[in-house]
Amino acid sequence: MLLPAFEYYRPQSLAEAITLLGEMGEAARPLAGGTDLLVNLKLKKLAPKALLDLSGLAELQGLAQENGKVSLGALNTASRLAVGSPQVPRVLSMGAGALGSPQVRNRATLGGNLVTARPAADICLPLLALGAQAVLAGPGGTREVPLDGYFKGPGYTVKEPGEILTKVLLEAPRPGVGGGYQKLGLRQAMEIALVNVAAVVMLEDDGSTIKEARVALGAVAPTPLLSPGAAQALAGQSADEAAIEAAAEAAAADAKPIDDHRGSAAYRRDMVRTLTKRALKQALAQAQGNEEAQA
Ligand SMILES: Cc1cc2nc3c(=O)[nH]c(=O)nc-3n(C[C@H](O)[C@H](O)[C@H](O)COP(=O)(O)OP(=O)(O)OC[C@H]3O[C@@H](n4cnc5c(N)ncnc54)[C@H](O)[C@@H]3O)c2cc1C
């Protein structure tokens, strides 16, 4: 399959990129790793007149930590996030490491995953569980959007066509906070999840009471979904088997799966229950500094 003809631009600053995008409107598409965009061009699902290569934009690069906040540039690849670092929460490394294959991970970016906004996206789900915010820059300036509220439907977000996603902001990893990630596919690799779950828990200073938790569910609704029931079942509870069971039941109840050729809704709901338990056990083990005890 050949790529169609397109004009190619490589802006050198975010301001230049926003101006170009403003001038060309819907005729131009930003290009990051190309793992979604170039495939869609080849399949003729999209036919933009121009591609705007983001790779020269310093504003979209890097990992930084300041005042307890971590800023992750949109051009960080899944491979870079999967390797991990003190700034990258483990749940995010796990999700990024589960995306595609090594070749895809070396190209696929955090920004591309968030803009593509598939319901099972392996980077979106951990970021949602982490309570991250997306930073969008456009002609009208910059705005920060909590990911809970950013996703609108499959491939559809609050991002306007003239905006560029520059980075995400999240709380820096700290003791007493842990994360877990579970992905079920029909194959072990190169697979969009049949169901995936990311969990983040924060413990009180006593190390055994759950202060707050977020469980994000993938592939069981039109968007990545936070389970309010699981959060409610865990907050203020002792970090034990009973709390995990209650949260898993609540997550299964919050899921809105559909039947399709890959699996039935009932099977997906069952798997939400199972994967939520496993992800929470991983999260609690990390929060308690006892990762050997992971499920
Ligand atoms: C073989 C294969 C396997 C895959 N497996 C998985 C998987 O297991 N899990 C998974 O989640 N995904 C998977 N994907 C999908 C894809 O790799 C990811 O969604 C990836 O994160 C997209 O990032 P990208 O940098 O390649 O985006 P691109 O393809 O460059 O862009 C995707 C879209 O986002 C827009 N865009 C990109 N960056 C920005 C930005 N900063 N601001 C504004 N708009 C932007 C582009 O204009 C385009 O519309 C797979 C893809 C392939 C081809």
Side-chain angles (χ1 to χ4, degrees), residues 29-30 32-37 100 109 112-113 115-116 121-122 165 183 191:
R29 282 267 178 168
T35 59
D36 269 305
L37 187 54
T109 64
N113 205 251
V115 172
T116 306
D122 285 301
L165 194 148
K183 174 177 183 176
E191 181 66 314

Side-chain angles (χ1 to χ4, degrees), residues 203-274:
L203 295 178
E204 298 282 8
D205 290 343
D206 64 8
S208 61
T209 308
I210 299 169
K211 186 174 179 185
E212 196 187 333
R214 280 186 294 266
V215 175
L217 312 175
V220 291
T223 65
L225 182 77
L226 271 182
S227 166
Q232 205 180 347
L234 292 162
Q237 300 300 311
S238 225
D240 57 19
E241 210 47 58
I244 292 173
E245 287 286 339
E249 281 309 320
D254 282 342
K256 302 171 178 69
I258 53 163
D259 289 307
D260 71 8
H261 63 284
R262 299 174 73 225
S264 69
Y267 175 67
R268 283 190 163 100
R269 199 180 291 283
D270 261 358
M271 289 304 102
V272 167
R273 201 175 280 116
T274 302

